[in-house]
Amino acid sequence: MIPRIGVVTGGGDCPGLNAVIRAVAKAAHRRGWKAIGILGGYQGLLPTQQTKVLEGDLLDGLLVRGGTILGTANQGKFSAKTGHGESRRLPVELLDETKRGCEELGLIGLVSIGGDGSLSIAQQMFEHGIPVVGVPKTIDNDLAATMMTFGFDSAVACATDAIDRLHSTAESHRRVMVLEVMGRYAGWIAVYAGLAGGADVILIPEIPFNFESICNKVGERELAGKHFTIVVVAEGAKAAGADYVTSAEQSQNREARLGGIGAQVAEEIHKRTWKETRCIVLGHLQRGGSPTNMDRALCTIFGAKAVELIAEKQFGQMVSFTGSQITSVPLSQATGELRRVPLDGGFVTAARSLGICLGD
Ligand code: F6P
């Protein structure tokens, strides 16, 4: 019988998911294995399974195609996070059922492509005897134990392009333009795109901000004859002493939906400086479209490595990029604690030495 491996995508979509699926399927075929795509996230593993054999024409064009041909979910029975990132254990019966589903499919291994939430479920599955390996996905780049997740570079490219475009209106209309970017509780997208796009103010969750500091920067630029200011604010940034700003009612077994801080920052800047100010929320544009070259390469390497891990029976591991090599780490190390922007790291230091305001 031909060995079969499963591939599942979980959590929010992100550029590069299809590129990983393609790499996993191709590397599996080269070994004489069959790759089975699980549809609709982990839910598709439950008996009566929803699957699709990954072969032939189905793999055409996947390297550059956004989204996931398998579908995904970040809510429902398999959600592992609630509130502001609190972990949740899945009921044992659900894990039993999932294990039975994998056995019925005859899987020798399962590649779980996901972020913090989906990979913490993968860890629980592994503890329950399911032979799973992980591939780190998320535009937020907040997974511990890997220097980079795929999707992040594409999101930064999108946010940087937005900053470049906002410069025109900011300068022509002498306005303050506030761009709200995603990233959940980590400021990676804001800090990378802010540096790449030449933002004047970058607000990240790791550094609580105060409005005086932001408005002083706007004033300083006015005095220097620069009558516009670009502010990049991460959705998880918060004013000192304030709480996260959320854009929707909290629903059960789901993480809070962040959003709205950009509008608050814009309003307060306008009130305090009388400068015309606009807020732009970049939202899901950051998760859409074709992956960048960097992401395409990373996804291909990650997918191939995941298949290698299954061949070596190194279950419970996640593929990881150290900056110089591709290796693997226990899933337990990669989940649980988020990787946030270090305050003494190169990004924050560079921003400060260029006089970029970080809101403190
Ligand atoms: O984790 C990826 C991400 O895009 C976050 O940056 C953002 O907070 C969240 O997902 C949005 O999720 P949803 O698409 O469910 O609103």
Side-chain angles (χ1 to χ4, degrees), residues 44-66:
L45 281 168
L46 299 178
T48 56
Q49 299 84 346
Q50 306 291 312
T51 64
K52 185 187 264 185
V53 178
L54 298 169
E55 59 189 7
D57 294 354
L58 210 59
L59 303 183
D60 292 350
L62 287 191
L63 192 55
V64 300
R65 188 161 151 198

Side-chain angles (χ1 to χ4, degrees), residues 53 66 77 82 123 136 151 156 188 264 282:
V53 178
K77 280 186 185 173
T82 58
Q123 167 63 18
V156 170
W188 291 108
Q264 289 191 6
L282 200 49

Side-chain angles (χ1 to χ4, degrees), residues 293-351:
N293 302 349
M294 166 72 193
D295 270 334
R296 291 178 203 185
L298 196 61
C299 290
T300 306
I301 300 167
F302 277 177
K305 180 73 180 175
V307 172
E308 196 182 302
L309 289 177
I310 292 180
E312 291 167 357
K313 296 195 169 34
Q314 292 202 47
F315 302 118
Q317 293 279 307
M318 181 192 82
V319 174
S320 155
F321 176 51
T322 64
S324 59
Q325 54 173 332
I326 301 292
T327 172
S328 73
V329 291
L331 274 167
S332 55
Q333 242 178 59
T335 53
E337 206 172 313
L338 292 181
R339 194 174 74 92
R340 308 182 84 203
V341 177
L343 299 187
D344 56 354
F347 315 96
V348 168
T349 310

Side-chain angles (χ1 to χ4, degrees), residues 1 4 45-49 96-107:
M1 169 140 153
R4 294 152 70 99
L45 281 168
L46 299 178
T48 56
Q49 299 84 346
D96 281 342
E97 242 191 309
T98 312
K99 190 173 176 193
R100 185 156 62 87
C102 290
E103 285 163 0
E104 284 174 7
L105 285 171
L107 303 181

Side-chain angles (χ1 to χ4, degrees), residues 74 138-140 182-184 235 254 257-258 284 287:
N74 62 358
T138 167
I139 62 163
D140 307 336
M182 282 184 167
R184 245 190 258 267
E235 62 180 1
R254 267 205 94 166
R257 197 189 308 164
L258 298 173
H284 293 84
R287 296 217 314 237

Side-chain angles (χ1 to χ4, degrees), residues 163 190-199 202 346-348 350-351 354 356:
I163 300 171
V191 97
Y192 263 75
L195 291 180
I202 304 175
F347 315 96
V348 168
L354 261 67
I356 296 170

